Amino acid sequence: MTYVVTVDICIPEGTPELDPLQRAGAVALVEDGLDAVRAVEGPDGVQVDVLDTVVAVHPGGALLKVVVDAPALEFAEGSVQVLVDELLERTEVLADWTIERCEVELHQDLARESLAAADGPDAPPDDLALRRARHTAGAPSAQNAGEGADGPDGAATKARAARARMLELAAELRAFPPAVFGVEADDDRRAVPAESARLAAGALVHATDTLVDGLFEDVQVLAQEDATVAECEGPLWHLERLPDRYALQYDARFARRFLVTVIALTTRFTDGSFQHLSCVAEELALRFLLNEATTTLELHDLLDDHVSTALANLADALCVDTDHDRVHHPTALLPFTSWFTPFTEDSYAHPSTTDEPEAAPQ
């Protein structure tokens, strides 16, 4: 059975955050260490095969996604814990780093089988984006939103809980002050209340997790089928929404680079280091993030005119055109080979995305 294990490793408490050079070194050390391992001996001597890994280093540590083939969830988690523990221990400059989280997620194939078996009024929606947002955010099903087991009071309670959660998460979006969302704007048409700005900010933080998880599953589907998005037979969460013109170029390697781009971008959003969008891939990533946030807000009936305006104000401030038709128009983007190329010399580029892809048709 295939499992995806998410691991957060952090630098020692009280030490300075990693600068760009240190992050480049750390990602190389972690990637080299994981790439050297094909199998791990888990609990009770059970062998667990390592199928794939993705590493994204940020100023406070690194996020790892490790795909393993294990007989049970416990073996998958325990084996990856042992693997990362040993990697940190034998790597001198990482020896003081700690594992803060090691969680197992079911692989998409298993989730898809479960979803396909569902039927009746509580069956998940066909739309993958709505399905993911509802599953992750805990939104009520169509039945429960009305006269289901929870009843109207239960639905209202869930809506209030979702609002409170979004408002709580807003503080984690450190890169953008309320003014960027339109709080105290001079133009009444663009001005929004402070709470609407916080709902928009919280939805973006929440959307980060669902977007990263969905993209990681897209990577696995493309890798398993050894296919591009144009050729892929399995369902994809996000990559099918990229411009169709280059669909034959969106393979697993591209998907990994795009995933790391999303992680690097959203890390700069939450740690406060963001200055500007660095490349075309980041522009596309932000559009995906805004779409994911909008979907989540809609599912919880939190997307009113003020919150929509707050998200639009942010997009305008970052000079991102969110118009669907323009995103897919061939003239809207630089050539495919330039998507990960930094716009300027001071633009941030994650080390894992800077290698030039193989030649692609323009």
Side-chain angles (χ1 to χ4, degrees):
M1 189 173 295
T2 304
Y3 296 93
V4 179
V5 185
T6 300
V7 186
D8 278 328
I9 56 176
C10 300
I11 60 177
E13 187 175 354
T15 59
E17 292 187 338
L18 304 174
D19 60 34
L21 182 59
Q22 290 172 322
R23 293 199 292 270
V27 75
L29 290 171
V30 176
E31 285 182 340
D32 288 347
L34 294 176
D35 288 346
V37 179
R38 293 291 176 265
V40 184
E41 184 174 312
D44 300 327
V46 174
Q47 177 173 305
V48 173
D49 294 327
V50 179
L51 306 179
D52 197 8
T53 60
V54 176
V55 180
V57 174
H58 53 82
L63 175 67
L64 317 179
K65 294 277 189 175
V66 184
V67 185
V68 296
D69 185 24
L73 182 149
E74 293 79 11
F75 293 110
E77 184 176 273
S79 298
V80 173
Q81 177 96 28
V82 169
L83 170 61
V84 178
D85 268 335
E86 291 182 351
L87 170 62
L88 297 180
E89 184 178 349
R90 69 172 181 262
T91 308
E92 184 177 355
V93 297
L94 305 178
D96 294 331
W97 289 35
T98 57
I99 298 177
E100 296 296 319
R101 177 171 65 115
C102 185
E103 295 179 349
V104 175
E105 305 166 5
L106 282 176
H107 189 265
Q108 180 173 340
D109 289 344
L110 299 176
R112 192 185 309 135
E113 291 175 6
S114 175
L115 290 167
D119 197 3
D122 288 328
D126 292 333
D127 183 86
L128 291 177
L130 292 176
R131 182 189 296 171
R132 166 163 290 280
R134 192 183 82 175
H135 170 71
T136 306
S141 65
Q143 179 179 357
N144 287 342
E147 298 179 356
D150 291 337
D153 291 341
T157 299
K158 290 181 178 180
R160 287 193 297 270
R163 174 182 288 272
R165 178 58 176 159
M166 297 299 169
L167 294 175
E168 179 184 3
L169 288 172
E172 297 184 20
L173 199 71
R174 298 179 179 88
F176 305 115
V180 176
F181 291 95
V183 176
E184 299 181 357
D186 295 334
D187 185 349
D188 290 341
R189 294 172 300 176
R190 311 296 291 179
V192 300
E195 183 166 301
S196 297
R198 290 174 61 202
L199 282 172
L204 287 167
V205 175
H206 182 276
T208 295
D209 286 340
T210 57
L211 178 59
V212 168
D213 286 346
L215 286 172
F216 188 80
E217 292 180 8
D218 285 355
V219 170
Q220 300 313 308
V221 171
L222 294 177
Q224 288 179 346
E225 295 192 14
D226 191 21
T228 65
V229 167
E231 302 161 336
C232 185
E233 296 181 359
L236 299 169
W237 291 115
H238 300 293
L239 294 180
E240 287 181 324
R241 293 187 286 116
L242 287 169
D244 295 336
R245 182 183 185 187
Y246 301 117
L248 284 171
Q249 307 302 322
Y250 307 145
D251 56 10
R253 182 175 182 275
F254 165 84
R256 290 188 186 94
R257 297 175 78 199
F258 190 70
L259 169 61
V260 172
T261 296
V262 170
I263 294 173
L265 176 65
T266 53
T267 296
R268 282 149 52 215
F269 283 176
T270 55
D271 70 14
S273 64
F274 176 82
Q275 295 182 334
H276 55 79
L277 295 171
S278 296
C279 59
V280 171
E282 286 197 350
E283 290 184 345
L284 292 169
L286 180 58
R287 289 167 181 153
F288 278 22
L289 187 66
L290 289 167
N291 180 76
E292 195 77 15
T294 299
T295 299
T296 299
L297 290 164
E298 285 178 337
L299 287 170
H300 291 297
D301 198 24
L302 298 175
L303 189 69
D304 58 23
D305 290 342
H306 288 310
V307 179
S308 294
T309 300
L311 290 172
N313 287 340
L314 175 67
D316 289 346
L318 299 181
C319 300
V320 171
D321 188 344
T322 56
D323 181 78
H324 179 81
D325 292 333
R326 177 169 170 76
V327 170
H328 289 79
H329 193 280
T331 61
L333 299 168
L334 291 173
F336 177 77
T337 52
S338 301
W339 281 15
F340 296 96
T341 303
F343 291 140
T344 63
E345 290 184 359
D346 65 341
S347 294
Y348 177 80
H350 192 280
S352 295
T353 66
T354 52
D355 291 338
E356 289 296 328
E358 296 178 1
Q362 303 300 312

